[in-house]
Amino acid sequence: MFIQPVDYLLFAWFILAALSTAYVAWDQFRNNPEPAVMKWGFILVTLYLGPIGLLLYVLADKEPAPNTHEEFIKPLWKQGIGSTIHCVAGDATGIIIAAVITAVLGLPMWLDIIIEYVAGFALGLFIFQALFMKNMMGGGYWENVRKSFMPEFISMNAMMAGMAPVMAILMMGRDMRAMWPGEMLFWGVMALGVGVGFATAYPFNAWLVSKGLKHGLMTDRGDTPAEVTKPRGSPGHAVHHTHSEASDHAAHNKHASHQAGQSPAFAPTRAQLATVAAFTTLMLIAGFAYPFTKVNMQLSAHDVGGAIMAPGMIMTFDTPGDAMLDMAAVDPRRISFEAAAGSHGARPLEPRLEGGVKVFDLTAAVIRWPILPGETVEAYAYNNQVPGPTLRVTEGDRVRINVTNNLPESTTVHWHGLILPNEMDGPAEVTQRPIEPGESYSYEYTVGQSGTYFYHTHDHVDRQQSLGLYGALIIDPKNPTDEIPADLEYTLQLQEWLKRQWLTYPAMPMEGALPNFFTINGKSYPATETIKMKVGQTLKVRFVGSHTTAIHPMHIHGGPFEVAAVDGVTLQQSARYLADTVNVGPGQRFDVLWRAQRPGKWLVHCHISHHTTNNNVEVQGGGGLMLVIDVDA
């Protein structure tokens, strides 16, 4: 599924890679006079590098005209490409196979890159060098292993020094779908890593070819002797050998050189080999060590594979995997319901009576929810709505709330501000075992209070509540005379959202996670509801701090209001006060009475100006935490 812009680029790249590979395979076996091992080397590398592999093949190896291959491939830069192609074809194949296996097994990243190195080196040395190049090198298999060890060691070190940090940092970076082989991004990171590894290995392979320690490109015309080409400008730059002659020549060269005419000035020395081997080993150590300073190499694909972090979010080498999962975007592939454009949340949920108990059913699931025309968020929702349904009961009622969890993680429900049995309070791992995915749990208690309350998740709270798991709980007093009188009432639940690059993240007060959309009852202005009333009427507004990241100074135009209740407790008349703004913090509730004194359209809004925009943009005079009270004369 395409859930990020990079997915479209990768899809196009893989199509080009497939076409490039198909062409190289067709041309190699139909036209190009080269040994089979090099044909397959170019095919594999083009599969990994796509159009880049095709470019390397056409520029360095594809015979431009009949009977010109021998002359065409002589330059050292082409011979170096041939040697690197052979190195990458074997080593990278082993690395990729190991990466898939370690991801499936759930091994930590630090162990993953070690296993990848061992697998790449083993496949390159024992299969692609000693076995597949046996005819070119001559001698027995184990003799070829011995002669190939040092050149392969140098080449592999250089390649893995480039591949390791690229793979580790990108796999453990912002989009950790790259850790799982079932995702396109995994293969994209592998391809990029192979490309960087090719670049770091190339100069060393060119040196190895120039010193006669590795084969470069070759010409094989079937019935005619195979030509092993020495780079132009080197002594004895073009010497023809049959396979048996090459074997005899290799046996006499103590450095396993397949080249003829190597003068003492050009022949590799032990000091050179030792220095190059030591240098590439230092490169390898640095390539392995660098990711440990940037990402948490203790984590595996099973820990955080598939998680996508918000742009700009800071992650370090000690960021826990659980923190990453809490901060990650909602995976749109988990959506079970898509709400219609005109959907509204906080709809009253009528209970059913069972033996005198009022029973409500709540189901938590992942949905797509519209907050504006043309703008949706992936949300965690109760009963497919944001906010969840409003539960309205009366003081003294016995209630039972059956909660079913259809989320990808465990959850619970807390009844904010209520006095109830401890085992019904809802904190995960404290008063109850979390409700696992697919499970249900029943909360049952007798309501002993009245006023404005709300319910919300109390498991992975920073993630789940900010993604929509909350709803109003209105408790009417048993004695109607204790009710705060008003002509109309409106419950106003606040929330912040973070939407970037098509994905929804839990908004948090931290770098990269600050919200850019704000909603009242699940809608941003101008999609918020309009309250209609007449001059002289009194409106009771129930402000509910169901949000998680900020304090919202909620202001009403058109005159002051009376603060009549705080956190569900009705204030005595002498304790009430007039205000035109109340600071609604997370978890707080205010009941205020506002009297319509003049006709017109009067705003209710947050007085932090950024919170009345939609992704920093004003629409029809505002946005976000804003709605209109339309007063008619």
Side-chain angles (χ1 to χ4, degrees), residues 466-483:
S466 65
L467 288 174
L469 284 188
Y470 62 88
L473 175 60
I474 308 301
I475 305 173
D476 295 318
K478 189 172 185 178
N479 184 351
T481 61
D482 292 335
E483 181 66 79

Side-chain angles (χ1 to χ4, degrees), residues 247-289:
S247 174
D248 293 339
H249 179 70
H252 286 85
N253 191 325
K254 66 179 180 180
H255 297 298
S257 173
H258 68 278
Q259 305 292 354
Q262 193 79 280
S263 73
F266 285 91
T269 66
R270 292 184 183 277
Q272 289 175 342
L273 276 174
T275 302
V276 172
F279 183 79
T280 57
T281 301
L282 289 176
M283 288 177 57
L284 178 68
I285 293 171
F288 274 24

Side-chain angles (χ1 to χ4, degrees), residues 475-599:
I475 305 173
D476 295 318
K478 189 172 185 178
N479 184 351
T481 61
D482 292 335
E483 181 66 79
I484 300 172
D487 298 303
L488 304 92
E489 72 170 53
Y490 188 82
T491 301
L492 194 152
Q493 301 176 71
L494 310 176
Q495 190 177 3
E496 307 98 352
W497 298 88
L498 175 59
K499 180 76 178 286
R500 297 286 188 197
Q501 296 180 2
W502 307 342
L503 295 178
T504 304
Y505 303 84
M508 300 179 186
M510 59 183 294
E511 298 89 345
L514 294 174
N516 59 339
F517 287 96
F518 307 86
T519 58
I520 293 174
N521 295 345
K523 299 292 181 180
S524 298
Y525 182 86
T528 50
E529 294 177 307
T530 296
I531 303 170
K532 293 186 176 293
M533 57 187 301
K534 295 183 179 298
V535 170
Q537 288 185 316
T538 299
L539 171 69
K540 182 199 298 184
V541 178
R542 302 179 188 261
F543 289 111
V544 178
S546 47
H547 56 291
T548 58
T549 72
I551 295 175
H552 295 294
M554 298 304 297
H555 169 60
I556 303 180
H557 290 202
F561 49 74
E562 179 184 86
V563 178
V566 178
D567 292 340
V569 178
T570 300
L571 301 178
Q572 296 294 327
Q573 195 66 44
S574 59
R576 298 183 184 185
Y577 60 94
L578 293 179
D580 62 21
T581 303
V582 287
N583 291 328
V584 183
Q588 287 189 301
R589 287 94 59 217
F590 291 90
D591 292 7
V592 306
L593 299 173
W594 182 82
R595 184 172 177 271
Q597 302 182 56
R598 299 284 190 275

